[in-house]
């Protein structure tokens, strides 16, 4: 077996984990679900889900990965031999692969929109709805999704340190800079304050049961939880890695980037008198219309879609690393062979996702097109359920005390406020919140 690689530095591993967390979820998905769920009130519920559920589950996953030194499925097998807990890992791999089947579609749109903004600006902003339909239904969507996948594969071929870590260390700070430029632009538009109010002033009458489920699923999605990503990444962390500070950095940066994305998007949308409830097309239909009517809009459009692509790339890398690491750890595949298998799966199940905006638009299962089905399946079912099972694993197999000990190993301090609240949060708060939200959603689904 090949020797397993480790991240070379604390900064590098934090950038890689933040790179995984910060993705389409923070910009494209976050803004559109905030938009359809009425703004501020949803943000409050989302933040509660991050702190009460996401944070303890993140700690759980980081400790499972680092203490076993193995990726998702193998980690469970090593920590609980002769048991069935490895199924939790399998669910995670399924969730990651499901997301991996539609993620390149949206990553491809953002890459394509960088070029469209550069070379075909007038066509892009003439009628943004028609332009998006034409782009996403045509050959360009396939070409750019394939390009996004190809770049990801090239990075993964170089391995954990030279590929994932180096690429994240370069791209994440770049993303931060572009984001700040866009927020300043958006906030200084006349009429921007209305967008700020939409994002921060809660109107709880707009919240629905579906909104709670959206918030819970999205907190897992955004922090890359429930799919073995954090288990896999932390398995490359050395024993002297400071997990408490990594945890704080991941959660703070992920949340901050989502809020900044909201501040880049909503003020611009409101300033131009557009509708924030557009849905999945918000970033690709509504926002270009806002860019079209601001000075130097073309430059901001290029920057925005570049930002989305960078965010998507570092996340897609982590998504594919999950099944890849499984093939390497469990079945002793070489990186090349593993990547060939993973890419084949993603291509076979990913092509229908691109096509669901074109020739497959009329093909629906349970009333959803293929793309939406993949997204909903992962977020509403796989992630919360895998998250809950992961918690049960900590409670009934690995042990809360062992997990807490692992969390503090390598930290310079004897204790940490997160370690103090972790046992209570993982035993009671997180599982209760997941169960209540899932049951409530199931009930309302059953009632139609
Ligand atoms: N956390 C990523 C985002 O917010 O876009 C999405 C993601 C990463 C999903 C890794 C799944 C995954 F395995």
């Amino acid at each position: 077996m090949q020797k397993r690689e480790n991240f070379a530095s604390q900064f590098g591993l934090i950038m890689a984990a933040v790179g995984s967390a910060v993705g389409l979820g923070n910009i494209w998905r976050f803004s559109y679900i905030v938009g359809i769920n009425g703004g501020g009130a949803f943000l409050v519920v989302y933040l509660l889900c991050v702190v009460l559920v996401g944070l303890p589950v993140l700690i759980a996953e980081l400790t499972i990965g680092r203490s076993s030194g193995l990726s998702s499925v193998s980690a469970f097998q090593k920590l609980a031999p002769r048991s069935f807990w490895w199924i939790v890992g399998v669910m995670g791999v399924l969730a990651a692969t499901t997301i991996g089947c539609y993620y390149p579609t949206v990553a491809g749109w953002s890459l394509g929109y960088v070029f469209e903004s550069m070379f075909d600006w007038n066509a892009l902003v003439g009628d943004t709805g028609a332009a998006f339909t034409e782009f996403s239904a045509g050959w360009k969507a396939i070409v750019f999704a394939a390009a996004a996948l190809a770049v990801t594969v090239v990075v993964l071929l170089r391995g954990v340190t030279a590929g994932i870590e180096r690429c994240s260390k370069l791209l994440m700070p770049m993303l931060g800079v572009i984001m700040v430029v866009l927020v300043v632009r958006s906030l200084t538009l006349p009429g921007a304050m209305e967008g700020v109010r939409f994002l921060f002033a809660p109107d709880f009458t707009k919240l629905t049961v579906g909104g709670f489920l959206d918030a819970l699923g999205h907190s897992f999605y955004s922090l890359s939880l429930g799919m073995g990503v954090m288990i896999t990444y932390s398995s490359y962390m050395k024993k002297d890695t400071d997990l408490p500070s990594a945890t704080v950095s991941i959660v703070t940066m992920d949340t901050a980037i989502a809020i900044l994305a909201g501040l880049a998007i909503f003020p611009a949308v409101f300033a131009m008198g557009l509708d924030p409830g557009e849905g999945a097309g918000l970033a690709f239909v509504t926002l270009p219309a806002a860019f079209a009517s601001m000075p130097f809009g073309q430059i901001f459009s290029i920057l925005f879609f570049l930002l989305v692509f960078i965010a998507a790339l570092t996340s897609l890398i982590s998504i594919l690393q999950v099944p890849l690491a499984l093939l390497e750890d469990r079945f002793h595949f070489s990186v090349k062979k593993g990547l060939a298998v993973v890419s084949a799966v993603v291509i076979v199940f990913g092509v229908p996702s691109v096509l669901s905006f074109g020739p497959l638009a009329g093909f629906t299962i349970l009333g959803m097109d293929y793309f939406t089905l993949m997204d909903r399946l992962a977020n509403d079912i796989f992630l919360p359920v895998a998250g809950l099972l992961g918690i049960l694993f900590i409670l009934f197999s690995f042990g809360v005390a062992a997990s807490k000990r692992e969390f503090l190993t390598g930290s310079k301090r004897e204790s940490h406020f997160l370690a103090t609240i972790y046992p209570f949060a993982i035993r009671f708060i997180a599982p209760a919140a997941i169960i209540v939200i899932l049951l409530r959603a199931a009930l309302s689904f059953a009632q139609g």
Side-chain angles (χ1 to χ4, degrees):
M1 201 173 119
Q2 296 154 321
K3 196 177 167 307
R4 266 178 131 258
E5 281 187 274
N6 277 324
F7 285 123
S9 67
Q10 172 97 6
F11 175 70
L13 75 91
I14 288 181
M15 284 302 105
V18 171
S20 168
V22 172
L24 293 169
N26 302 60
I27 310 169
W28 162 75
R29 202 168 188 284
F30 175 76
S31 61
Y32 98 69
I33 59 170
V34 168
I36 56 175
N37 283 298
F42 177 83
L43 181 63
V44 172
V45 178
Y46 172 69
L47 292 178
L48 283 175
C49 285
V50 167
V51 175
L52 300 180
V53 187
L55 190 61
V57 172
L58 175 62
I59 296 176
E61 294 203 0
L62 292 177
T63 59
I64 291 172
R66 198 188 53 183
S67 68
S68 64
L70 289 169
S71 63
S72 189
V73 178
S74 312
F76 288 98
Q77 282 176 325
K78 178 165 174 190
L79 296 178
R82 290 179 301 281
S83 72
F84 286 102
W85 287 107
W86 55 269
I87 291 176
V88 184
V90 172
M91 277 206 70
V93 176
L94 275 180
T97 314
T98 309
I99 296 174
C101 289
Y102 80 84
Y103 217 83
T105 306
V106 186
W109 295 346
S110 51
L111 181 60
Y113 263 50
V114 173
F115 289 97
E116 298 285 291
S117 304
M118 278 180 188
F119 303 115
D120 214 359
W121 177 242
N122 291 333
L124 184 69
V125 295
D127 174 344
T128 57
F132 179 63
T133 308
E134 194 187 322
F135 178 88
S136 58
W139 58 269
K140 285 185 190 165
I142 301 245
V143 170
F144 283 108
L149 187 61
V151 178
T152 310
V153 169
V154 169
V155 174
L156 285 173
L157 268 176
R158 304 181 63 106
V160 174
T161 321
I164 302 180
E165 183 171 353
R166 251 181 69 199
C167 166
S168 310
K169 276 200 312 204
L170 179 79
L171 293 180
M172 293 321 286
M174 212 163 118
L175 178 139
V177 174
I178 303 180
M179 188 59 112
V180 171
V181 173
L182 288 167
V183 170
V184 171
R185 167 66 284 190
S186 183
L187 283 179
T188 48
L189 289 167
M193 270 309 131
E194 196 155 339
V196 177
R197 223 170 290 126
F198 176 77
L199 185 62
F200 291 126
D203 172 359
F204 287 99
T205 58
K206 295 207 177 120
L207 263 187
T208 58
V209 174
F212 278 86
L213 186 61
D214 270 351
L216 177 69
H218 191 73
S219 66
F220 274 89
Y221 186 91
S222 193
L223 289 169
S224 300
L225 299 176
M227 40 214 154
V229 169
M230 291 301 173
I231 296 183
T232 304
Y233 270 21
S234 57
S235 73
Y236 305 116
M237 293 180 187
K238 296 184 197 136
K239 280 287 178 198
D240 62 357
T241 302
D242 188 340
L243 289 185
S245 79
T247 308
V248 172
S249 310
I250 296 168
V251 173
T252 331
M253 288 197 224
D254 187 58
T255 310
I257 296 286
I259 291 178
L260 286 176
L263 283 176
I265 294 173
F266 291 113
V269 167
F270 275 87
M272 302 305 167
L274 300 165
D275 172 20
E278 156 74 29
L282 183 68
F284 293 91
V285 176
T286 314
L287 204 57
F291 288 135
S293 32
M294 67 176 73
F296 304 108
Q298 185 175 6
I299 295 176
F300 291 109
S301 180
I302 296 171
L303 281 179
F304 176 78
F305 289 109
L306 185 65
L307 168 90
V308 181
F309 180 65
I310 292 176
L313 182 66
T314 47
S315 297
L316 187 56
I317 290 171
S318 74
I319 294 175
L320 299 191
Q321 179 67 22
V322 172
L324 177 63
L326 170 69
L327 293 176
E328 291 179 83
D329 285 345
R330 183 76 188 77
F331 301 102
H332 310 306
F333 275 41
S334 66
V335 177
K336 271 195 190 137
K337 210 166 125 198
L339 269 173
V341 173
V342 172
S343 320
V345 171
V346 168
I347 290 170
V348 169
F349 291 99
V351 167
S353 145
V354 183
L355 296 183
S356 56
F357 291 83
L360 288 185
F363 171 74
T364 58
I365 306 168
L366 296 173
M368 289 175 262
D369 61 41
Y370 183 87
F371 176 94
T372 314
L373 183 72
M374 292 288 119
D375 183 61
R376 304 267 46 140
L377 204 63
N379 286 284
D380 294 354
I381 303 174
F382 283 157
L383 300 189
V385 173
L388 186 60
L389 291 176
I391 294 175
L392 296 180
F393 171 74
I394 294 283
L395 300 190
F396 300 110
S397 179
F398 188 44
V400 176
S403 171
K404 180 176 163 181
R405 216 175 307 119
E406 180 69 39
F407 185 57
L408 285 172
T409 305
S411 159
K412 277 150 221 79
R413 281 174 284 175
E414 290 276 294
S415 72
H416 190 275
F417 76 100
L418 284 179
T420 313
I421 55 171
Y422 173 61
F424 185 71
I426 199 80
R427 277 198 189 103
F428 303 107
I429 305 179
I434 300 179
I435 290 170
V436 169
I437 294 180
L438 281 181
L439 283 182
R440 191 68 192 80
L443 202 68
S444 82
F445 185 72
Q447 289 164 344

